[in-house]
Amino acid sequence: MSKKILVISSSPRRKSNSDAMCDEFIKGTKENNSIVEKIRLSDYLINYCTGCDLCSTYNKPCNQKDDAKFIIEKMINADVIVMATPLYFYAMSAQLKTLIDRCCGEYTKMQNKDFYFIVTAAENSEKQAYRAVENITGFLDCLENPSIKGVCYGLGVWHTGEIKDNKGLIDAYNMGKNII
């Protein structure tokens, strides 16, 4: 049975290094007949959570008129969620953090999901890059039965295109290929 995979690319740059790794991941999934959709967060309007309590206290839909609900619905309906982020000062991108914060009213519907992480960084240290993964797992800690299935890194890349010939591309491809 094919899995529904949602790839969330959070780089604000088009043709970014993390975007390239997402594309390699998606190529890898073609070998296992998965249904894959990629979303670039910078293509959508996602406002910050205002902390109004409408969703958490009153169980009502968010009243913001943006694209967050559309993306969150895709997360709810996916079997697998891939979160890709460039590393900014050893943390995930603001775009990804904003989306995660907006999941407040719907996160309880994200049950039994497999998660994969793609992180790119100018830094060469996997240990330093893992700090972003640890931060993202704070979100997963609030979900019911999430499973981290894989993490891959594109290290030593900063400017667009520096990912070319980086081991991270191969790792991303293989991670996508090995989804079962």
Side-chain angles (χ1 to χ4, degrees):
M1 182 171 145
S2 62
K3 294 198 176 206
K4 289 194 301 191
I5 301 170
L6 179 64
V7 178
I8 300 171
S9 179
S10 72
S11 176
R13 295 190 297 195
R14 287 211 169 274
K15 298 183 180 179
S16 69
N17 296 313
S18 54
D19 229 21
M21 288 185 66
C22 288
D23 293 342
E24 286 301 308
F25 179 93
I26 291 167
K27 282 182 194 173
T29 65
K30 301 296 182 193
E31 294 192 26
N32 58 34
N33 298 317
S34 295
I35 302 162
V36 184
E37 181 177 7
K38 178 181 165 187
I39 289 181
R40 294 189 72 257
L41 294 183
S42 64
D43 291 342
Y44 297 90
L45 174 64
I46 305 169
N47 297 321
Y48 300 111
C49 176
T50 62
C52 71
D53 288 335
L54 198 60
C55 64
S56 61
T57 302
Y58 303 105
N59 201 26
K60 295 197 184 272
C62 183
N63 64 0
Q64 294 198 59
K65 305 296 183 224
D66 65 5
D67 299 314
K69 182 174 176 50
F70 167 78
I71 297 168
I72 293 166
E73 280 297 318
K74 290 187 175 292
M75 293 172 74
I76 291 167
N77 292 321
D79 300 308
V80 175
I81 299 173
V82 179
M83 294 180 155
T85 185
L87 196 66
Y88 292 141
F89 299 102
Y90 304 111
M92 74 178 96
S93 69
Q95 291 79 0
L96 184 56
K97 178 64 170 124
T98 299
L99 175 65
I100 288 171
D101 289 349
R102 288 294 301 282
C103 290
C104 185
E106 302 287 329
Y107 76 93
T108 59
K109 296 178 183 176
M110 293 181 203
Q111 302 169 357
N112 305 309
K113 306 286 181 201
D114 290 342
F115 284 87
Y116 292 82
F117 302 118
I118 294 172
V119 179
T120 57
E123 177 74 52
N124 280 310
S125 166
E126 194 171 293
K127 180 181 175 190
Q128 295 294 346
Y130 188 73
R131 293 165 82 182
V133 174
E134 287 179 316
N135 196 244
I136 298 168
T137 58
F139 170 59
L140 272 58
D141 288 344
C142 298
L143 305 181
E144 186 176 320
N145 199 33
S147 180
I148 299 173
K149 295 293 189 175
V151 179
C152 68
Y153 303 97
L155 301 175
V157 299
W158 182 354
H159 301 288
T160 301
E162 288 182 346
I163 195 74
K164 184 181 179 217
D165 300 323
N166 187 287
K167 175 186 173 304
L169 291 173
I170 295 165
D171 293 343
Y173 176 86
N174 288 329
M175 198 164 67
K177 182 175 129 178
N178 292 318
I179 289 180
I180 47 173

